[in-house]
Amino acid sequence: MSRFLYPSEYYSSTYKINFARYYQMGYRALLFDIDNTLVPHNAMTDERSRRLLTDLRRMGFSICFISNNKEPRVNRFVKELHVEGLPDPSYVYKAGKPKRTGYLNGLRKMRIPIRRALFIGDQLFTDIWGANRAGIRSILVKQIDKKEEIQIVLKRILERPILFFYRRRHPIRA
C-alpha cells in the first residue's frame, strides 16, 4: 500500500538521528524541510537547531533547505545559521514539493550526487513522496508541534493509515 510514500527510515525526531553513522556510510549532503522538522511551524532558528546544523556542517555535510515557503521566510532562517568559517547552507524556496525539481535543484547547488544525499522531513505527501520521486533516501520524522495550518492537518489525517501499515514492518527509531 502506497510504498512510494514510505520513507527509508522513520525517527521520533530530527534530533535523534545518528548523523555520524550516515556520514560513515558515505552520505555527504543533507536536505531538510524546515517547518516541524527542525523548528515549530513558522519559527526561526532556536539553540537546538543552530547547534545541530553547525555540528553537521563541521562534520563535513553540505546542507540545503528544501521548502515550499516563500523566500523571505527561508532566507531569514538560513541567515540565522551563519557561522564564521563554515559555508552557509543552500536553500530552495517555493520548491513545489512533491515535485522532483526542488530536490534536484538543491543537489545541483551543492554539487552532490543523489546517491550521497539524505532528505529529512515531517510530511509524507510532500516531503517523503518528493524525495522518493527524486531518488533520494528519505527520512521521516515526527512533527515537532501539533499546531498547524488546516491543509496540513487534513493531510495528517490521510497519512495515518499509510503510517499504520508502514510501522507494522518498520519500527520507529528512538
Side-chain angles (χ1 to χ4, degrees):
M1 170 185 208
S2 307
R3 295 201 194 288
F4 62 95
L5 293 171
Y6 281 4
S8 303
E9 296 174 73
Y10 186 17
Y11 285 84
S12 60
S13 168
T14 300
Y15 301 96
K16 300 283 186 178
I17 299 171
N18 182 350
F19 288 103
R21 183 179 129 239
Y22 290 106
Y23 194 84
Q24 290 172 346
M25 292 169 64
Y27 290 96
R28 295 298 180 262
L30 300 172
L31 294 91
F32 283 99
D33 174 53
I34 297 171
D35 289 326
N36 262 336
T37 298
L38 291 165
V39 294
H41 191 73
N42 279 330
M44 286 294 111
T45 61
D46 55 18
E47 183 57 37
R48 182 170 73 159
S49 63
R50 280 190 298 276
R51 190 174 342 110
L52 173 67
L53 294 164
T54 298
D55 289 347
L56 292 173
R57 291 176 7 218
R58 284 191 176 126
M59 194 182 297
F61 282 110
S62 294
I63 293 176
C64 185
F65 300 103
I66 310 295
S67 178
N68 283 347
N69 275 301
K70 295 178 182 170
E71 186 175 22
R73 192 274 190 271
V74 181
N75 188 13
R76 270 192 334 245
F77 186 87
V78 171
K79 282 186 184 231
E80 290 187 8
L81 297 171
H82 178 76
V83 175
E84 203 61 46
L86 291 176
D88 286 337
S90 302
Y91 65 88
V92 176
Y93 64 94
K94 292 178 84 176
K97 294 181 290 185
K99 293 180 184 174
R100 301 172 58 226
T101 310
Y103 299 85
L104 299 177
N105 285 343
L107 289 174
R108 272 194 281 288
K109 286 181 178 201
M110 294 186 292
R111 298 185 173 136
I112 302 280
I114 289 171
R115 72 182 183 282
R116 301 199 46 182
L118 294 170
F119 179 84
I120 300 94
D122 69 299
Q123 291 185 58
L124 290 179
F125 292 109
T126 52
D127 299 330
I128 301 306
W129 186 18
N132 289 346
R133 290 178 72 198
I136 300 169
R137 185 175 181 145
S138 59
I139 297 177
L140 179 68
V141 294
K142 284 189 171 186
Q143 71 202 69
I144 291 174
D145 189 4
K146 298 284 185 197
K147 184 179 175 197
E148 297 177 303
E149 296 172 350
I150 187 65
Q151 72 271 15
I152 297 172
V153 171
L154 295 174
K155 284 191 244 176
R156 298 271 186 215
I157 293 168
L158 296 173
E159 287 179 353
R160 286 181 192 151
I162 297 163
L163 287 173
F164 171 81
F165 286 105
Y166 174 83
R167 286 192 301 245
R168 288 175 69 185
R169 293 189 182 174
H170 309 279
I172 192 167
R173 296 177 183 222

